Amino acid sequence: MKTSILKLSGALFLFLGMTIQANAQDIEGSWKGTLSVQGMEMPLIFDIKTEEGNLSSTMDSPSQGATGIPMDVTTFVDNTLTIKFNQAGIKYVATLKDNSLNGTFHQGGMEFPLNLEKTEKTLPGNTDLPTSEADLKKLANWNPTNYKYSVADYFARPKARSFQFSPDGTYLSYREKDENAKNHVYVKNTENDEITRVIEEKEELIRGYGWANDNRLIYVMDKGGNEDYHLFAVDIDGNNQKELTPFDGVKVNILNGLKEDKDHMIISMNKNNPQIFEPYKINIVTGELMQLYKNEDAANPINSYDFDKDGNLRGFAKLRDGVHIDMYYTEDGENYELKKELSWKDTFSISSFNYATDYPHDAYVISNLESDKAQVYLYDLKEDKVIEKLFSNDNYDVSGLGLSRKRGYELDYFYYEGEKQVIVPVSKYYKKLHKKITDKFPGYNYSIPDATDDESKYLVFIQSDKLYGTYYSYDAKTEEFKLLYNLMPNLVEKDMAEMRPITFKSRDGKTIHGYITLPEAALKGEKVPVIVNVHGGPQGIRDSWGFNPEAQLFASRGYATLQVNFSISGGYGREFLESGFKQIGRKAMDDVEDGLQYAIDQGWVDKDNAAIYGGSHGGYAVLRGLTKTPDLYACGVDYVGVSNLFTFMDSMPEYWKPYLKIVKEIWYDPDVPEEKAIMEEVSPVNHIDKIKKPLFVVQGANDPRVNIDESDQIVSGLRAKGVDVPYMVKYDEGHGFAKEENRIELYEAMMGFYAKHLKPKIKQPIKG
C-alpha cells in the first residue's frame, strides 16, 4: 500500500477521505479541523449527511482547492468514530463530546492529533450575492419561446459523441447521454455489434477519455471544475476500474501515450510541489509509478518535456529567471546539454522526432526564430542547426504536421489556420486521401480524429459554419464513406446562419481579421442588434471559422455576432501577437471597438443596439468596455471575467506561479510604478461609477483561474450603489459551465437579458 503523505516544500502533505456509517444524528453536519504536520497547517472540512438511512460524507481541503471528495467506510459505535480510507492506508479514531471530535489520525506508522469542531458548511464567495433561481427564471422569461429552435437545441450535448476506434479496429467507443444528461462511455464490438457500458458518469463529469491499448481505456475527472485532474483506467468490459492517481490537490497531464508500450504511459504531476510538474511512467493496470526525472529547482523549473515514441526523455525546456527558456538535449541518453537560450516569446518546439531516418537527432521543429511567422523545419538537434525549411505561409503561423506510423513515419501533411482551416497534403498516400475527402465534402472543414493502426479504417469529422458536425467512417480498402453519426440532426443546415470572415484596418493601421454572423434580417438590408463576443486568453487565442452554437443561437433571435481577432491574438505571427502585450484593456479594446465600427459602416448593425459579451478575458473585456466606453454598448454579459488585475494576479493557481513574470510581461507589472498606474486605470472595479448600462454576471464557484472574488467584487460594488445586477453562480462549476443543465440555464437567462435590453424591447416578460 502506497502512502499518500507526500513531501511538499520540506513538510508533509496529507490526502485523505472518509465515509461515515451511523445512526446518530449528532454526527451529521460539517466538521472542521486543522491537521498539523511538521509545521504545516492544513484545514480539513468533513460534511456528513444521511442518505437512504446511512451516513455518507465528503471532504474539503480549502488550501488545495479540493471540494466534495467522496469518502469510503466508517463506523460510529459507543460514541466512537472510526474512519478508514483503505486506498491510502488511513485510519482516524475520535470520540464525540458535545460539538467536538477528539481523535488521532494514523497513516504509514505515524500518528497525528486531529480534533474537529462542529461548524456551518461554507461555500466559496459571498453567498448573499447570487440572484435567486426564481429571479433568474423571470429574467429568462423576457425571451420569447415561439422560435423554431430552443436554447436546448443549441446547447444540449449530442446524444452520442467522441467516437474512437480501438487501435486494432475491433471496437468503436463513444459517449452516449442518458435521460439524466449523464454522458457514459460505451464500447461497441464492430464484428457482432455487441455494446457494453464501460464507464459510468456520476456526479463528477468525465472530462476526457481515450484508448490506452486494445483492451483498456483511460479517462480523467476533476472535482466540480477545480481542474485538479485525476487519471483513471478500465477494461473494455467495464472491469478492473482503477483510479491511477489518487492524490488530492494534484493535477495530472498526459505527456505520451507510449504506443509502443501497451501497459504504460507517461504523465506529469505536481505531486511533490504544487507549483511544478515532474514526469512519471505509470502502469495503466496497477497504477505503479516510476519518476523519470526530477524537477527540483522551483525557482527555475522545467516547464516542458520531450519524450520519444519509446519513452526516452530526449530533451526539456527550463524556465530561467521567470522569462528565459533554456533548451536542453541529450545525445547519449544520459547527459543533458544546454543547446539554446531563448526568450519565452520565442517559438521553438519539437513537433516530432524524425523516425524515418537512421540518424537519431533529426526532428520536425516549429519555430519563429528566423521569421515573423512560425514555420516548419527539419532540424539537427545535435548540431543545433536547420537542415531544411519544409513549410511556411506568408500570412499565418503554421500549426503543425502529420506523420504515418504505419508507413514508417512518412510525412503526410502540414496544416495552418487562415480565414478557415487549411490542410496541405505532402505524401502521395495522403494527397489521394485528402482528395477523396474534399471531393466528397466540398466547402466543409474536415479532420481525422482517429484511424486504426493499420490505416484500414478512418473516422472523418465534417463541419462547417452551418453544420454542427457529422462523423463518417472511411474504409481505405473499398474507398467508401459511411455515415456514422450526425451530432445534431435537429439543427437543419439550411436554417443556420453564415459566418463570414472579415478584414478591416484598426485605428493604428493594423490589418485585423475576424468574423461576422448575420441573421436573416441583416441579409435583407435591415440594421440589426449585434453582440460583440470577445474571446478569452487573450494571448495566442483566436476565434475561428466553423459552427459556433452561441453565434447560431444569437442569429436565430435576430442578433448579429461580431468576433474580432484583436492585437495579441494567435496565429498571425509574432509581431501581431506582441503588439498586444501590455495593451490589454487598451489597444486590444481599441481593435474590438474598431471592429464594431466596421460592422456599423457596412450597414449590418444598429450602432445603438450593441451588446458586449465574453468569457474569461472576454468577461474582463465586457467590464472594461462598459467602463472605457460607457456609451458604446447597450448592455453586457460578463462570464467568469476578471474585474481587478491586482487580485487576479494574487489568486492564481499554484502551478501558474512560476509563470508570473511572463504574465506580468503580457499584462502589467504592479512593481513598476507606471504599469501599476495602468493596472489601476484598466481594472474595472476601480471605475464602477462609469458603468451605466445593464450588466449580467456569471461565475463558477470553483474556478481556479478567475476566482469567484473577481465577480463578487464587481457585483457587490454595483449593488452598493443601488444597481440591480443579475448574478448567476453555480457551485458545481469552474472556469466555464460544463454541465448541460447549467449551460442551458445560463443561455436561457442570457437570451432573456438581451431581449430585455436590446431594442426592440419587449414591454412585459412573457409568462411561462
Side-chain angles (χ1 to χ4, degrees):
M1 179 66 67
K2 290 183 174 58
T3 179
S4 63
I5 297 183
L6 306 173
K7 297 274 187 173
L8 173 61
S9 303
L12 289 176
F13 189 77
L14 183 68
F15 305 93
L16 78 164
M18 70 172 187
T19 292
I20 309 286
Q21 207 171 31
N23 294 323
Q25 293 182 349
D26 290 342
I27 205 72
E28 293 183 53
S30 294
W31 299 84
K32 184 176 183 179
T34 301
L35 194 67
S36 180
V37 183
Q38 294 186 357
M40 181 176 181
E41 303 292 314
M42 189 179 73
L44 298 174
I45 302 171
F46 302 97
D47 191 45
I48 305 170
K49 61 183 179 180
T50 300
E51 290 184 334
E52 298 180 354
N54 295 318
L55 290 176
S56 65
S57 64
T58 59
M59 184 205 72
D60 298 345
S61 177
S63 61
Q64 293 296 301
T67 60
I69 302 167
M71 306 298 108
D72 284 342
V73 177
T74 299
T75 59
F76 185 63
V77 180
D78 295 333
N79 219 41
T80 299
L81 182 68
T82 303
I83 303 164
K84 293 181 180 178
F85 184 39
N86 297 327
Q87 192 171 30
I90 288 170
K91 183 171 74 170
Y92 175 59
V93 180
T95 301
L96 177 64
K97 184 178 181 180
D98 298 327
N99 286 324
S100 299
L101 281 167
N102 303 315
T104 303
F105 179 85
H106 307 257
Q107 185 178 30
M110 295 178 288
E111 297 182 0
F112 307 95
L114 177 60
N115 298 329
L116 306 175
E117 298 291 329
K118 200 73 171 284
T119 186
E120 292 296 323
K121 178 74 172 179
T122 59
L123 294 170
N126 184 344
T127 56
D128 293 331
L129 292 177
T131 302
S132 70
E133 290 187 11
D135 285 341
L136 288 172
K137 182 64 177 176
K138 289 179 182 177
L139 179 63
N141 284 343
W142 278 90
N143 188 48
T145 57
N146 57 339
Y147 293 106
K148 183 173 183 178
Y149 299 106
S150 69
V151 169
D153 286 328
Y154 296 97
F155 287 99
R157 294 197 184 280
K159 176 64 176 174
R161 58 190 171 94
S162 302
F163 291 85
Q164 299 179 38
F165 282 124
S166 63
D168 65 2
T170 303
Y171 299 96
L172 178 69
S173 63
Y174 55 94
R175 300 189 67 178
E176 185 172 296
K177 184 172 65 174
D178 67 15
E179 65 278 6
N180 297 314
K182 297 298 182 183
N183 293 266
H184 313 298
V185 176
Y186 293 81
V187 168
K188 178 180 180 180
N189 188 313
T190 59
E191 296 175 355
N192 60 21
D193 291 337
E194 181 181 343
I195 297 174
T196 303
R197 188 167 80 179
V198 176
I199 306 171
E200 181 182 2
E201 183 174 82
K202 298 180 181 178
E203 183 61 28
E204 296 299 342
L205 300 181
I206 298 169
R207 300 287 177 170
Y209 89 98
W211 287 88
N213 56 44
D214 288 322
N215 302 302
R216 199 152 169 83
L217 293 162
I218 57 167
Y219 60 102
V220 293
M221 295 192 301
D222 67 353
K223 297 289 184 183
N226 67 3
E227 299 186 15
D228 284 339
Y229 299 114
H230 289 206
L231 182 66
F232 301 77
V234 62
D235 289 347
I236 57 174
D237 60 3
N239 293 322
N240 296 323
Q241 181 166 293
K242 186 174 181 63
E243 181 176 1
L244 300 175
T245 58
F247 312 118
D248 293 323
V250 175
K251 180 184 175 76
V252 172
N253 302 302
I254 298 174
L255 301 184
N256 193 314
L258 291 184
K259 197 75 170 167
E260 312 303 325
D261 182 350
K262 67 175 185 176
D263 289 333
H264 294 88
M265 64 193 330
I266 296 175
I267 62 173
S268 68
M269 294 187 289
N270 56 342
K271 190 163 76 78
N272 297 326
N273 184 326
Q275 292 191 4
I276 57 180
F277 289 81
E278 296 175 300
Y280 296 81
K281 188 175 184 178
I282 188 167
N283 187 302
I284 60 167
V285 178
T286 67
E288 181 180 2
L289 286 170
M290 176 189 298
Q291 187 165 340
L292 299 177
Y293 203 79
K294 291 186 177 181
N295 193 1
E296 296 178 307
D297 186 358
N300 301 285
I302 298 170
N303 65 350
S304 67
Y305 300 88
D306 290 302
F307 287 90
D308 65 18
K309 65 182 179 64
D310 298 312
N312 301 308
L313 180 60
R314 301 282 296 278
F316 54 80
K318 193 170 187 178
L319 183 65
R320 174 169 48 84
D321 299 329
V323 291
H324 302 290
I325 303 292
D326 292 339
M327 307 287 296
Y328 288 81
Y329 180 72
T330 179
E331 298 174 16
D332 59 9
E334 296 181 1
N335 302 296
Y336 295 88
E337 299 177 6
L338 178 63
K339 290 290 184 179
K340 283 188 178 297
E341 296 183 39
L342 306 172
S343 163
W344 71 270
K345 301 176 184 177
D346 297 325
T347 295
F348 185 88
S349 62
I350 298 173
S351 181
S352 173
F353 295 98
N354 181 14
Y355 304 116
T357 176
D358 292 332
Y359 184 65
H361 306 296
D362 280 2
Y364 297 105
V365 167
I366 299 175
S367 171
N368 66 2
L369 298 184
E370 299 183 6
S371 60
D372 177 63
K373 308 296 188 295
Q375 304 179 125
V376 180
Y377 298 89
L378 186 62
Y379 202 88
D380 187 327
L381 295 169
K382 179 179 179 181
E383 300 299 328
D384 190 23
K385 67 177 184 181
V386 172
I387 299 172
E388 180 186 1
K389 183 171 82 171
L390 298 177
F391 186 75
S392 64
N393 183 275
D394 291 339
N395 300 310
Y396 304 101
D397 293 323
V398 179
S399 304
L401 53 91
L403 304 173
S404 168
R405 176 174 174 265
K406 166 69 167 54
R407 288 174 274 111
Y409 295 93
E410 181 178 22
L411 177 60
D412 269 345
Y413 59 87
F414 303 106
Y415 63 96
Y416 66 91
E417 188 173 2
E419 288 185 342
K420 300 180 180 180
Q421 169 194 282
V422 180
I423 297 174
V424 182
V426 176
S427 69
K428 181 179 179 180
Y429 180 94
Y430 203 85
K431 285 179 179 177
K432 179 181 177 181
L433 179 61
H434 177 76
K435 188 175 188 304
K436 282 281 184 184
I437 298 172
T438 53
D439 285 352
K440 176 73 172 177
F441 306 104
Y444 291 84
N445 278 347
Y446 85 85
S447 61
I448 298 179
D450 202 13
T452 57
D453 284 352
D454 65 0
E455 296 184 350
S456 64
K457 300 177 184 177
Y458 291 85
L459 284 178
V460 182
F461 185 65
I462 303 299
Q463 191 186 58
S464 74
D465 55 341
K466 297 183 178 182
L467 177 65
Y468 190 100
T470 304
Y471 281 95
Y472 287 82
S473 62
Y474 176 72
D475 189 313
K477 294 178 181 178
T478 64
E479 299 185 352
E480 292 180 348
F481 292 91
K482 181 181 178 181
L483 176 62
L484 185 64
Y485 201 81
N486 185 345
L487 293 180
M488 283 294 185
N490 55 308
L491 297 176
V492 180
E493 258 186 276
K494 66 180 180 63
D495 294 337
M496 299 298 110
E498 174 193 2
M499 177 185 280
R500 295 182 184 177
I502 58 171
T503 302
F504 60 91
K505 291 288 186 181
S506 64
R507 66 190 68 176
D508 62 351
K510 275 194 171 56
T511 298
I512 307 293
H513 300 271
Y515 302 91
I516 186 87
T517 303
L518 298 171
E520 186 176 352
L523 300 179
K524 295 178 179 178
E526 296 181 31
K527 294 181 180 180
V528 299
V530 60
I531 297 170
V532 181
N533 190 345
V534 186
H535 71 65
Q539 70 281 359
I541 306 298
R542 58 161 287 177
D543 285 314
S544 302
W545 185 85
F547 192 92
N548 185 308
E550 289 181 333
Q552 293 297 338
L553 171 64
F554 298 161
S556 73
R557 271 53 174 171
Y559 309 123
T561 299
L562 174 68
Q563 297 168 278
V564 176
N565 285 325
F566 45 86
S567 299
I568 208 173
S569 298
Y572 300 99
R574 180 171 182 163
E575 188 277 331
F576 187 83
L577 175 73
E578 294 183 18
S579 70
F581 290 175
K582 297 193 184 294
Q583 291 295 326
I584 295 171
R586 299 192 296 165
K587 173 69 173 67
M589 291 301 300
D590 292 347
D591 291 348
V592 172
E593 295 158 17
D594 294 344
L596 176 56
Q597 187 60 52
Y598 172 80
I600 292 169
D601 293 342
Q602 301 306 302
W604 294 327
V605 303
D606 180 356
K607 67 180 179 65
D608 295 322
N609 282 284
I612 184 167
Y613 159 64
S616 196
H617 162 267
Y620 162 78
V622 171
L623 301 176
R624 177 61 178 149
L626 294 179
T627 54
K628 178 176 182 286
T629 51
D631 295 316
L632 183 60
Y633 301 104
C635 60
V637 178
D638 161 25
Y639 186 17
V640 296
V642 175
S643 68
N644 184 331
L645 269 59
F646 296 94
T647 54
F648 166 62
M649 290 187 177
D650 289 341
S651 62
M652 289 179 176
E654 286 298 314
Y655 47 84
W656 281 16
K657 297 295 176 64
Y659 308 102
L660 185 56
K661 284 187 178 181
I662 294 176
V663 173
K664 290 178 178 179
E665 289 203 5
I666 295 170
W667 291 67
Y668 304 98
D669 188 345
D671 296 324
V672 177
E674 296 84 355
E675 293 186 26
K676 181 180 180 182
I678 295 172
M679 290 176 68
E680 292 171 345
E681 172 196 343
V682 302
S683 288
V685 75
N686 295 331
H687 305 281
I688 286 177
D689 287 341
K690 296 178 182 177
I691 298 178
K692 54 185 181 180
K693 299 296 176 64
L695 173 66
F696 178 26
V697 179
V698 182
Q699 181 69 44
N702 303 317
D703 193 336
R705 307 187 199 186
V706 178
N707 190 279
I708 190 173
D709 182 55
E710 294 299 309
S711 292
D712 280 1
Q713 287 182 69
I714 206 75
V715 171
S716 60
L718 284 167
R719 295 259 180 90
K721 297 183 179 299
V723 179
D724 178 24
V725 184
Y727 184 25
M728 176 182 285
V729 176
K730 293 298 181 182
Y731 290 94
D732 54 354
E733 296 282 10
H735 195 62
F737 293 179
K739 293 187 175 182
E740 180 178 306
E741 61 272 23
N742 292 338
R743 285 159 54 90
I744 292 172
E745 186 179 335
L746 162 63
Y747 286 102
E748 286 177 342
M750 187 188 301
M751 299 317 297
F753 180 81
Y754 291 142
K756 184 176 181 180
H757 297 295
L758 288 179
K759 296 177 183 178
K761 291 184 178 180
I762 299 172
K763 299 304 181 182
Q764 295 294 331
I766 293 176
K767 295 179 180 179

